[in-house]
Amino acid sequence: MCGIVGYVGKNAAQDFLISGLKRLEYRGYDSAGIVTLSENGDATLLRAKGKIANLEDKLSNNKRNDKIGIGHTRWATHGEPSEANAHPHQAGKIFLVHNGIIENYKELKEHLTEHEFKSQTDTEVLAALVNSFYKDGKYPLVNAVVQALKLTKGTYGIAVVTTDNPNEIVVARSGSPLVIGVGHGETMLASDAAALVGHTKQAIYLNDGEVAVITRDNVVIKTLNAEPVSAKVEEIETNLAAIQKGGYEHFLLKEIMEQPESLAETLRGRINEKEGTVRLGGPGLSQEQLRKVKHLVIVGCGTAYHAGLMAGYYIEQFTPEITVESVIASEYRYKNAYIPKDSVALIVSQSGETADTLACLREIKKQGIPTIGIVNAIGSTIAREVDGGTYVHVGPEISVASTKAFTSQVVAMVMFGLTIAQAKGARSGILKPYIDELIKLPAAIRETLDEASEAVRKIAQKYASLEHAIYLGRDTAYPAAMEGALKLKEISYVDANAYAFGELKHGPLALVDERFFEVALLPKGELFDKAISNLQEVLARGGQVIAITNVRDFEMPVRDVIVIKDTIKHFAPLLMNLVMQLIAYYVTVAKGYDVDQPRNLAKSVTVE
Ligand code: M6R
């Protein structure tokens, strides 16, 4: 969603701000802006609707050598995408950028009668509120910020400067991430460490309820109650290559193609091949605790939710004595759900910042249930708030559509399920086939991608003119179908929905006509014949079916078929998902849409 950058130091701030904002483009935005201050406190405010390129156009006539500034990419919430609504917002001598939502902005606005509002945003209300406490420089900026935040309800990550003091930036967070990059003679700020990569490796992650005063050589952090906080400097692990396209036309294709390596990272050091066992250090649960687990709640949104659903099927297969409930975070947080005491909650999030998932984590912790993060972004809020966790280690995922994270989330949760099964004394004969397949999975992914890519590209072009799609699967292939449909709809805008094959005659079969195509997942296994019977019903009604199967001599009269290798049995739907990722990619390319930054969506959903 929105992105924040800031700079104070020895170099031209505009350069860092623009390059930083570009690094955050992937998060989704619809306007952008920066403000820099000269040594005398003259402000240069530039804002533009649309892409950062539009901001750069304005910059060409407004180049400044100012050494301090803040910038923002805005994803519209309050008010349309427009220059007036873009950040930074000004109130008196103050400029402010903000991620999050100020829930009581209307109420606050009523009291800010001296400020002439120029935008429809909640952020301008916050700027005016800070200004009302700043009283034209009578009080230090940081005090004014703290006073204002104490009256504020909602979520925020903010950066504030004043023309009175072109040497410091005041930042604060509550529910919206901020990371401070410590350089030599310069200090940087971003809502996502990606903006800092290549500038510094030293970072301080601000916690909720903290406010910091940043100068070129110093960072002073306090709580909103003025208690001093000693800053913990951490290493940024991401490198430049990980956030560049590396020769691919789109990040999405790069991220699909790097799954053999990213999954290998997820597995690294966690499987003892010789013993055929799984060992996860991160969750931090003793064997005794694992043995007692009877129930798993898996919480996530979007793709992370689908990963939870799929992992749940597997875990219940090999550990029948536990039940798994996979839930949508935005629903679960308001359900007042009672969680049995012998439960463990898995909190699944690529970004580690998703607002609904984070809210669930906090609710679940209140019930005293152990929480385990299945997170990718290192140092993210969820990763820091869970009791224990297993990082999926897939590296930065830049494209809004989540791909490599899904595969690794499923595998990480399966590994967690296996550790429970081991602790409960499951026979190795039951677990071994799964563990053996996990070991083989990265190579099988490579093979599937290599073999299916070109065929999928050709097939996808045939279907690119259709506006509706139905994805079908059973058992573990059902959540895979849900994920396939989500991928297609979010980037190609095709109206794609997934159904369990068995549900077809309960309604969706009525949809089948020439405006639709169907993607049928048909892995070998006990339910294969049943799925084929369901498929017959679709074909009998003229369905235009793309079948994805690992049955070599597949002979159904479908329009197109992608046959993948059958070396992987249990996790075949994960391989089929790769094919669906490629279908979504190539359909979108054929339609000519923005693959990596689909309309209306953001990579990291930090508001409710
Ligand atoms: O960062 P998270 O994994 O918590 O994000 C959850 C969803 O917002 C995310 O998976 C979303 O559905 C993706 N755009 C799907 O590709």
Side-chain angles (χ1 to χ4, degrees):
M1 274 185 154
C2 308
I4 287 178
V5 288
Y7 180 90
V8 50
K10 55 193 175 190
N11 296 317
Q14 283 181 338
D15 295 343
F16 174 83
L17 298 179
I18 294 293
S19 75
L21 290 180
K22 283 185 176 166
R23 293 268 183 81
L24 302 187
E25 275 193 296
Y26 78 95
R27 300 173 68 90
Y29 70 103
D30 35 46
S31 59
I34 59 172
V35 67
T36 58
L37 306 178
S38 73
E39 277 176 24
N40 305 327
D42 298 325
T44 303
L45 174 66
L46 302 168
R47 297 182 298 178
K49 184 181 164 187
K51 295 285 177 191
I52 290 170
N54 301 344
L55 186 64
E56 283 182 297
D57 285 346
K58 294 195 168 182
L59 193 68
S60 54
N61 297 326
N62 290 282
K63 271 281 182 198
R64 300 282 184 273
N65 202 21
D66 302 343
K67 304 292 192 295
I68 181 170
I70 53 177
H72 191 261
T73 43
R74 173 175 184 258
W75 190 85
T77 55
H78 297 65
E80 58 178 9
S82 68
E83 188 175 327
N85 286 335
H87 305 202
H89 286 287
Q90 182 177 7
K93 296 174 178 173
I94 280 165
F95 292 87
L96 182 146
V97 294
H98 163 228
N99 286 354
I101 288 182
I102 306 302
E103 286 166 8
N104 59 339
Y105 79 105
K106 280 192 184 145
E107 193 185 313
L108 294 170
K109 195 171 178 178
E110 279 170 21
H111 301 283
L112 296 164
T113 46
E114 284 180 18
H115 179 78
E116 190 193 327
F117 283 92
K118 299 190 176 70
S119 78
Q120 300 152 294
T121 64
D122 51 338
T123 302
E124 190 180 357
V125 174
L126 185 55
L129 188 62
V130 172
N131 190 42
S132 72
F133 287 111
Y134 183 60
K135 301 218 179 300
D136 206 25
K138 192 165 169 205
Y139 299 100
L141 178 61
V142 63
N143 292 13
V145 168
V146 168
Q147 296 287 350
L149 293 180
K150 283 188 171 168
L151 295 181
T152 302
K153 288 192 193 126
T155 54
Y156 55 80
I158 57 166
V160 196
V161 290
T162 166
T163 52
D164 285 332
N165 186 356
N167 301 301
E168 70 169 29
I169 306 174
V170 175
V171 301
R173 81 160 264 179
S174 179
S176 214
L178 280 180
V179 48
I180 298 164
V182 183
H184 298 290
E186 56 182 0
T187 309
M188 290 141 280
L189 163 75
S191 52
D192 178 331
L196 306 178
V197 174
H199 297 278
T200 179
K201 278 201 158 292
Q202 308 290 300
I204 299 167
Y205 291 87
L206 213 62
N207 290 307
D208 279 353
E210 291 177 356
V211 57
V213 178
I214 298 174
T215 55
R216 59 174 275 174
D217 298 310
N218 210 5
V219 177
V220 178
I221 308 179
K222 289 191 177 160
T223 66
L224 285 186
N225 295 325
E227 293 139 3
V229 174
S230 65
K232 190 171 152 221
V233 180
E234 296 177 41
E235 180 117 339
I236 300 175
E237 290 184 10
T238 310
N239 58 34
L240 262 183
I243 55 171
Q244 288 167 343
K245 285 188 190 152
Y248 286 96
E249 200 175 331
H250 300 103
F251 279 110
L252 186 62
L253 188 58
K254 176 187 179 223
E255 287 158 10
I256 292 172
M257 290 303 178
E258 68 193 14
Q259 289 177 91
E261 294 80 30
S262 58
L263 182 62
E265 285 304 313
T266 311
L267 294 167
R268 188 182 303 284
R270 290 167 168 170
I271 293 188
N272 184 328
E273 257 191 88
K274 227 160 116 201
E275 290 175 9
T277 53
V278 172
R279 245 197 84 237
L280 294 177
L285 297 175
S286 67
Q287 289 299 303
E288 180 62 14
Q289 283 172 303
L290 288 170
R291 215 176 354 262
K292 285 187 180 154
V293 176
K294 290 213 176 102
H295 185 64
L296 283 183
V297 184
I298 308 183
V299 183
C301 298
T303 287
Y305 163 62
H306 295 156
L309 278 177
M310 196 163 176
Y313 271 90
Y314 286 118
I315 295 170
E316 288 187 340
Q317 275 175 13
F318 55 70
T319 320
E321 62 269 45
I322 66 172
T323 55
V324 185
E325 188 189 9
S326 303
V327 297
I328 297 173
S330 58
E331 287 295 307
Y332 199 68
R333 65 181 289 187
Y334 294 114
K335 256 184 97 179
N336 246 335
Y338 166 75
I339 311 177
K341 286 288 162 247
D342 38 17
S343 303
V344 165
L346 300 185
I347 313 296
V348 194
S349 177
Q350 187 286 127
S351 62
E353 302 293 349
T354 302
D356 287 318
T357 311
L358 181 58
C360 283
L361 162 63
R362 290 174 178 163
E363 285 302 314
I364 292 171
K365 279 182 91 168
K366 278 189 208 154
Q367 293 196 34
I369 302 297
T371 53
I372 308 294
I374 305 293
V375 173
N376 185 39
I378 293 170
S380 55
T381 309
I382 292 175
R384 285 182 297 137
E385 292 196 15
V386 285
D387 300 313
T390 295
Y391 277 120
V392 294
H393 287 307
V394 299
E397 199 183 57
I398 306 286
S399 190
V400 165
S402 187
T403 51
K404 58 179 179 172
F406 174 80
T407 305
S408 285
Q409 284 163 347
V410 173
V411 168
M413 285 185 270
V414 165
M415 286 197 288
F416 182 69
L418 287 166
T419 62
I420 296 178
Q422 287 168 184
K424 285 179 180 289
R427 277 189 302 112
S428 87
I430 294 177
L431 305 187
K432 195 166 179 308
Y434 291 92
I435 295 175
D436 287 349
E437 282 201 2
L438 287 181
I439 295 166
K440 289 195 290 184
L441 207 46
I445 289 177
R446 165 65 58 229
E447 196 172 39
T448 308
L449 289 171
D450 287 349
E451 289 179 5
S453 251
E454 189 48 25
V456 173
R457 193 182 66 77
K458 286 190 185 138
I459 288 174
Q461 275 165 357
K462 288 203 261 175
Y463 296 86
S465 60
L466 296 179
E467 293 301 331
H468 307 275
I470 295 177
Y471 282 62
L472 296 159
R474 295 192 86 123
D475 195 63
T476 47
Y478 171 47
M482 292 169 83
E483 174 56 13
L486 173 64
K487 219 68 342 173
L488 185 70
K489 87 177 87 171
E490 73 178 314
I491 60 172
S492 75
Y493 317 142
V494 170
D495 164 32
N497 287 297
Y499 303 98
F501 261 122
E503 275 291 292
L504 270 177
K505 348 186 185 2
H506 301 287
L509 201 52
L511 292 170
V512 174
D513 69 15
E514 69 289 347
R515 296 168 306 146
F516 280 75
F517 68 95
E518 293 79 26
V519 177
L521 305 187
L522 300 160
K524 273 184 190 175
E526 278 172 31
L527 296 176
F528 178 76
D529 290 340
K530 290 195 186 295
I532 289 293
S533 306
N534 300 136
L535 182 65
Q536 299 275 20
E537 295 159 1
V538 177
L539 291 172
R541 284 154 186 86
Q544 309 180 72
V545 175
I546 307 173
I548 306 175
T549 184
N550 54 358
V551 173
R552 276 182 206 188
D553 49 359
F554 185 78
E555 277 176 351
M556 298 292 292
V558 293
R559 199 158 170 230
D560 286 290
V561 57
I562 302 281
V563 180
I564 62 168
K565 288 265 164 62
D566 61 355
T567 42
I568 296 288
K569 180 182 153 216
H570 298 295
F571 297 113
L574 274 183
L575 299 182
M576 294 178 175
N577 184 52
L578 306 172
V579 176
M580 292 188 288
Q581 291 173 350
L582 289 168
I583 290 176
Y585 174 73
Y586 284 117
V587 166
T588 307
V589 170
K591 283 176 175 285
Y593 294 141
D594 186 338
V595 172
D596 288 327
Q597 289 167 36
R599 69 187 180 202
N600 305 340
L601 297 182
K603 181 67 182 166
S604 179
V605 184
T606 49
V607 295
E608 213 182 325

